[in-house]
Amino acid sequence: EKGGYPHFMLKEIFEQPEALRKTVAPRIKDGLPDLQVEAFTDELIRSVGKIHIVACGTASYAGMIGKCALEKLVRVPAEVCIASEFRYNDPILAPDDLVIVISQSGETADTLAALRLAKEKGIHTMAIVNVVGSSIAREADSIIYTWAGPEIAVASTKAYTVQMSVMYLIALKMALVRGTLTEEEVRRYCEIIQAMPEKQQDILAQSDTCQYFASRFQNAEHLFYIGRGLDYALSMEGSLKLKEISYIHSEAYAAGELKHGTISLITDHVPVVAVATQEHIYEKTISNIKEVTTRGAKVLLVVNDRFEVKDDIADYILRLPTTEDVLMPLLAVIPLQLFAYYTAVLRGCDVDKPRNLAKSVTVE
Ligand code: M6R
């Protein structure tokens, strides 16, 4: 049932191009986004004031990528709330707000409660869910299914990728209706997203390199992930993946924030994974890398191949195929997943069933 892979997690990492294809293909018609959600009318899209994205764990990190995409492409304010916080914090919701909940299982207790709260307040709710007919899917006003297929490993991988892709499609649809992008621009983005599975495949072909990097970092007790903007959002997901399955303590930090305290933790025993895929902040992240290498940290840099990186900037460099900056997370997540996976395997961990964790958290 693992299709020849040693673990479900690895199988699911390799299934990402296919999951992306299946999720995106039915939602692009004549080159433009067509979400096939009746209730998400153009009128509703035009009237949205603010978007609240509510989810737990990895789904919330997909939401962070979505927030960045919505703010960049649609210029609509968006915020991400962890469901267990949202439900008890008396959230400020206006009638023209939109609540988007994201959940692989569709059964996460806190996410379901958050959805119910928003509905009670008369806010339009949209759910991005992987399991057909699950509680969240049944109760939301609008539902967009991700077609990742069953995800068995506790660590979420392919579900995250397709959640991001749906967030991009929502942003593109909204940008088209609200006129923040031209039709031509939206078409271009759609084309690029449709071509993304092949680029993902190219990265998967480098899995041996990720395994090698993992072997260099496997004995760390603590590790930092740094990045800015979308790269910071992605760092959070990379860090969660590593913690969850390898039990190495790690933290994701906005690269510019290190010198406000955390850099005191950096030593030659605390390696750093740096993510730099965004052109407008690339040089800034490079400066932050220099700050940590000066303090002895070994650095693995995951970088957009378009940038001219000097080989001596980091100890290990993984170059990613390039695409539109805003879409880079669809590619950059893969080496982070593979790095976490191989690190856990090398440490002898139970990758698919990490201690203390359940696949679906149906109690709060
Ligand atoms: O089923 P959900 O997407 O609602 O689950 C949310 C989180 O419990 C889940 O993403 C969790 O963080 C994963 N184990 C992370 O890999």
Side-chain angles (χ1 to χ4, degrees), residues 217 263-272 288-300 313-316:
F217 286 69
I263 202 161
S264 63
L265 291 168
I266 299 286
T267 67
D268 52 0
H269 294 298
V270 182
V272 173
N288 299 129
I289 292 173
K290 287 181 186 151
E291 287 161 9
V292 297
T293 47
T294 310
R295 271 114 192 143
K298 289 261 175 295
V299 174
L300 163 59
I313 192 67
D315 302 272
Y316 309 99

Side-chain angles (χ1 to χ4, degrees), residues 69-80:
L70 284 162
E71 293 192 334
K72 182 177 159 60
L73 303 174
V74 194
R75 305 301 296 160
V76 62
E79 67 174 36
V80 181

Side-chain angles (χ1 to χ4, degrees), residues 56-59 102-106 108 154-156 163 240-241 244 361:
C56 300
T58 283
I102 308 178
S103 175
Q104 187 284 127
S105 62
T108 301
V154 164
S156 185
Q163 285 160 355
L240 174 61
K241 236 34 0 143
E244 190 176 21
V361 185

Side-chain angles (χ1 to χ4, degrees), residues 72-295:
K72 182 177 159 60
L73 303 174
V74 194
R75 305 301 296 160
V76 62
E79 67 174 36
V80 181
C81 259
I82 295 166
S84 56
E85 289 292 310
F86 182 88
R87 64 181 293 196
Y88 293 119
N89 281 355
D90 194 9
I92 300 169
L93 299 168
D96 62 357
D97 287 357
L98 170 67
V99 167
I100 302 181
V101 298
I102 308 178
S103 175
Q104 187 284 127
S105 62
E107 301 295 348
T108 301
D110 284 319
T111 311
L112 181 59
L115 168 77
R116 288 181 177 155
L117 174 76
K119 277 186 77 177
E120 261 164 44
K121 296 199 181 261
I123 311 299
H124 189 90
T125 55
M126 174 182 273
I128 301 173
V129 171
N130 195 47
V131 176
V132 176
S134 54
S135 305
I136 292 173
R138 280 186 275 114
E139 293 193 27
D141 298 306
S142 299
I143 164 81
I144 303 186
Y145 283 114
T146 48
W147 300 121
E151 193 182 62
I152 310 291
V154 164
S156 185
T157 54
K158 60 179 180 171
Y160 172 79
T161 296
V162 291
Q163 285 160 355
M164 284 195 287
S165 74
V166 168
M167 289 306 306
Y168 286 125
L169 292 177
I170 293 172
L172 289 171
K173 175 72 189 171
M174 291 187 73
L176 186 65
V177 172
R178 292 165 70 124
T180 49
L181 291 178
T182 63
E183 189 181 304
E184 211 172 302
E185 285 167 328
V186 174
R187 272 184 201 286
R188 223 187 116 251
Y189 277 115
C190 287
E191 254 170 51
I192 296 172
I193 293 175
Q194 281 175 304
M196 205 63 84
E198 275 130 73
K199 293 199 173 186
Q200 290 186 330
Q201 212 76 60
D202 293 345
I203 302 170
L204 289 167
Q206 296 186 51
S207 68
D208 285 357
T209 316
C210 295
Q211 186 170 17
Y212 169 70
F213 295 151
S215 74
R216 310 315 296 159
F217 286 69
Q218 69 175 102
N219 294 321
E221 271 177 59
H222 308 278
L223 199 146
F224 277 87
Y225 285 77
I226 61 169
R228 290 167 179 257
L230 279 164
D231 294 330
Y232 173 41
L234 197 64
S235 295
M236 293 186 212
E237 171 59 7
S239 171
L240 174 61
K241 236 34 0 143
L242 186 78
K243 285 185 266 239
E244 190 176 21
I245 59 170
S246 78
Y247 316 140
I248 294 177
H249 164 239
S250 80
E251 271 191 63
Y253 242 76
E257 187 64 12
L258 278 183
K259 58 169 83 63
H260 298 287
T262 328
I263 202 161
S264 63
L265 291 168
I266 299 286
T267 67
D268 52 0
H269 294 298
V270 182
V272 173
V273 176
V275 186
T277 67
Q278 304 294 304
E279 184 157 12
H280 70 293
I281 42 182
Y282 164 67
E283 291 295 342
K284 300 287 169 195
T285 304
I286 294 297
S287 310
N288 299 129
I289 292 173
K290 287 181 186 151
E291 287 161 9
V292 297
T293 47
T294 310
R295 271 114 192 143

